[in-house]
Amino acid sequence: MWRDIDWTNPVTRWKLLFASLVGCIVVFGGGYGVLSITNSPSFCSSCHEMAPEYTTYTASAHNQISCVQCHIKPGVTNMLTHKVKSMKEVYYHVTGVPKQIVQTEEEAVSNENCLQCHSKNRLVTASGDLKVNHKGHIEKDIPCITCHAGVVHAKIAARGLNIDSARGEWTEKNAQKLIEEKYVRPNMGTCIDCHDKVNKGEKPWKDVAYTVPPNPEELEKLAEGKNKAASTKPVKEDENTAELAANHDQKTQEIILQAIGKQKTNVKVSMECGTCHKKLKVPRSHKVALWNQQHGSTAVQELNKCVTCHQDSKWVREIPKEDIISLLKLGVKKSHYQPDIKVVKDQSRINKFCSTCHNKRPPGHTKSDQWLTAHSTKALTAEAKSQCFVCHDQKKPKPGSTDTKAPTDVYCEYCHRTGFKSPVKK
């Protein structure tokens, strides 16, 4: 058939050229159309397993840009390579959706994506409170998502809110209850953890796993391996648990002392609050004489204000797992604080800010041998005893007790085994 065609005829050559042109338009136009469709957020939302990611995206400040502007590095080659790799997602969709969608280390959002829109020369954050040298961080190859991991999806993977059993709950209405501001903004615990590691000569961001949420499937395999290894060994209680907890508390308290300027260290990055917080001010109440000895009464009345800054949970980098049903039922409610000495006492025991000072022997206790014979006069009234009970328990806590653990293992009935006399009234 092809041999019978007269290729010397100009009309024939023009027909071939026209047919080739039409073919190219169909092929390339169709390919461009496929790329355009698969690059749109609506295409991402067509799969039900992407409901949590799409819902958080539409509720975020980045909802005017497409998903691929963040998740695919700039460039045609990167685009085509990503499309080929994404065929496995189609396979998963057909054969069995993963229990949880997580970003892999290979596909972590790069600084190149962020710098398409954002300037690296910013020194002050949008809130105006923080001084952050973005250029210095970027030149050290620190990924933007190390700090800004939750800016679009509110860290739903780390919180465990995008698992298969929860995907039906991700509606536009529910998103407002599930996307908490503290998960959208940078986590101060990440700043503290990273700066502390830098001061020890480490560069934690060099490991992509430091930034990307752990893959639950890999964690399950790791757990299975540990369980198999443990089953071959005799079962015994971990003797190092208490020691590790004590070391963690000590490390936290050392960092807190640096932050409030009570402990000066020769470091690469200052850990003091004023290093990054531009508008940080010491409250007027803190500047009065003998504040260290008198702040307890203020804490009882204004504990909710105290924990705005003095809340060690903000210093933790790890994101706790949450239950989506509980979040939807309770929502984010602001509780009204009622002055309560028991609440303050419990807070002084578990809060690392408080225990930084409260776990040390007060100056008034003098030497042990003198204090043992003289302390009874300091605890004559119920009010005086209540001050002692901030640190000490009257009885030794029972094993498995749910009561807040005292910061000391010295309890009254260790010596007073026959009880106490009635408190003297004023």
Side-chain angles (χ1 to χ4, degrees):
M1 179 179 178
W2 288 95
R3 292 178 182 179
D4 297 335
I5 298 175
D6 183 9
W7 295 108
T8 60
N9 189 335
V11 176
T12 302
R13 291 200 298 269
W14 276 107
K15 288 180 179 179
L16 176 63
L17 179 62
F18 179 76
S20 299
L21 181 62
V22 171
C24 288
I25 292 173
V26 171
V27 172
F28 290 105
Y32 178 79
V34 171
L35 285 177
S36 299
I37 292 172
T38 57
N39 284 348
S40 66
S42 58
F43 177 80
C44 298
S45 68
S46 63
C47 296
H48 72 279
E49 61 266 28
M50 294 300 293
E53 285 73 19
Y54 180 73
T55 307
T56 49
Y57 157 77
T58 56
S60 75
H62 285 63
N63 59 13
Q64 296 301 311
I65 63 175
S66 64
C67 304
V68 296
Q69 283 181 269
C70 289
H71 290 286
I72 302 178
K73 287 185 178 181
V76 177
T77 303
N78 292 326
M79 174 72 72
L80 296 177
T81 302
H82 182 273
K83 294 302 177 186
V84 174
K85 289 182 177 179
S86 295
M87 292 302 295
K88 66 180 180 181
E89 307 298 337
V90 178
Y91 172 79
Y92 289 143
H93 178 75
V94 175
T95 60
V97 179
K99 293 180 180 179
Q100 186 177 11
I101 305 295
V102 294
Q103 193 173 45
T104 63
E105 295 181 7
E106 295 178 354
E107 300 173 345
V109 177
S110 70
N111 288 358
E112 294 178 62
N113 295 92
C114 301
L115 293 174
Q116 292 179 105
C117 301
H118 299 281
S119 169
K120 66 180 181 180
N121 296 317
R122 174 181 283 179
L123 292 175
V124 182
T125 60
S127 64
D129 174 52
L130 291 175
K131 297 177 292 182
V132 179
N133 182 2
H134 286 79
K135 184 177 181 180
H137 283 70
I138 292 171
E139 289 178 349
K140 292 288 184 181
D141 294 326
I142 299 174
C144 299
I145 58 171
T146 300
C147 296
H148 299 282
V151 68
V152 175
H153 300 298
K155 301 180 181 177
I156 55 174
R159 295 160 65 191
L161 297 182
N162 64 338
I163 55 177
D164 53 354
S165 60
R167 287 168 187 150
E169 304 293 341
W170 281 95
T171 63
E172 185 177 346
K173 180 180 179 181
N174 288 343
Q176 302 305 319
K177 297 179 181 180
L178 298 168
I179 303 175
E180 296 185 48
E181 188 177 2
K182 65 180 180 180
Y183 293 122
V184 175
R185 289 187 173 188
N187 177 14
M188 191 171 73
T190 300
C191 304
I192 292 168
D193 183 75
C194 188
H195 288 186
D196 183 52
K197 284 181 167 60
V198 169
N199 289 335
K200 294 176 180 176
E202 301 176 31
K203 295 182 179 180
W205 62 88
K206 293 294 184 179
D207 183 2
V208 184
Y210 187 78
T211 299
V212 177
N215 189 321
E217 294 179 358
E218 293 179 0
L219 291 178
E220 286 181 7
K221 291 180 181 178
L222 184 63
E224 287 177 5
K226 288 183 177 180
N227 291 335
K228 289 180 180 178
S231 63
T232 60
K233 297 180 180 180
V235 180
K236 65 177 182 177
E237 187 176 353
D238 187 2
E239 298 175 355
N240 296 325
T241 302
E243 183 180 351
L244 290 173
N247 290 338
H248 173 76
D249 290 347
Q250 182 179 355
K251 174 189 172 183
T252 303
Q253 291 177 350
E254 287 175 355
I255 294 175
I256 289 172
L257 287 171
Q258 293 179 48
I260 60 180
K262 296 290 185 181
Q263 181 173 302
K264 301 290 184 178
T265 54
N266 184 20
V267 295
K268 297 178 183 178
V269 182
S270 173
M271 300 291 281
E272 289 195 42
C273 302
T275 303
C276 299
H277 288 276
K278 182 181 178 182
K279 295 183 178 181
L280 188 72
K281 293 182 179 179
V282 177
R284 188 179 300 174
S285 60
H286 289 46
K287 298 178 181 179
V288 300
L290 301 175
W291 168 249
N292 286 345
Q293 301 175 25
Q294 299 175 357
H295 67 277
S297 58
T298 303
V300 174
Q301 298 300 321
E302 302 178 358
L303 181 65
N304 56 328
K305 295 181 181 179
C306 300
V307 295
T308 300
C309 293
H310 301 285
Q311 186 180 102
D312 59 288
S313 61
K314 289 184 176 181
W315 293 51
V316 179
R317 180 173 179 267
E318 291 74 20
I319 303 298
K321 295 293 183 181
E322 296 178 320
D323 175 54
I324 194 168
I325 303 301
S326 299
L327 288 174
L328 291 174
K329 286 183 178 179
L330 300 176
V332 182
K333 296 182 179 179
K334 294 183 178 180
S335 57
H336 178 70
Y337 172 70
Q338 295 287 347
D340 190 332
I341 183 62
K342 185 181 184 305
V343 174
V344 174
K345 183 183 74 172
D346 290 347
Q347 188 69 208
S348 69
R349 291 182 171 189
I350 61 176
N351 192 311
K352 299 297 184 297
F353 273 97
C354 302
S355 59
T356 298
C357 296
H358 280 272
N359 69 349
K360 296 179 180 179
R361 190 178 179 85
H365 281 44
T366 65
K367 295 182 179 180
S368 295
D369 56 343
Q370 298 176 12
W371 178 250
L372 284 174
T373 58
H375 73 276
S376 60
T377 58
K378 306 291 184 181
L380 293 176
T381 65
E383 183 180 354
K385 280 189 173 70
S386 67
Q387 296 181 18
C388 303
F389 293 150
V390 170
C391 292
H392 299 280
D393 279 330
Q394 186 167 331
K395 298 180 179 180
K396 183 178 181 179
K398 296 180 180 179
S401 174
T402 57
D403 292 338
T404 307
K405 187 177 181 296
T408 174
D409 58 356
V410 177
Y411 51 95
C412 301
E413 286 194 358
Y414 185 86
C415 295
H416 297 274
R417 300 183 183 184
T418 58
F420 303 91
K421 294 180 180 180
S422 300
V424 177
K425 297 180 180 180
K426 289 186 178 181

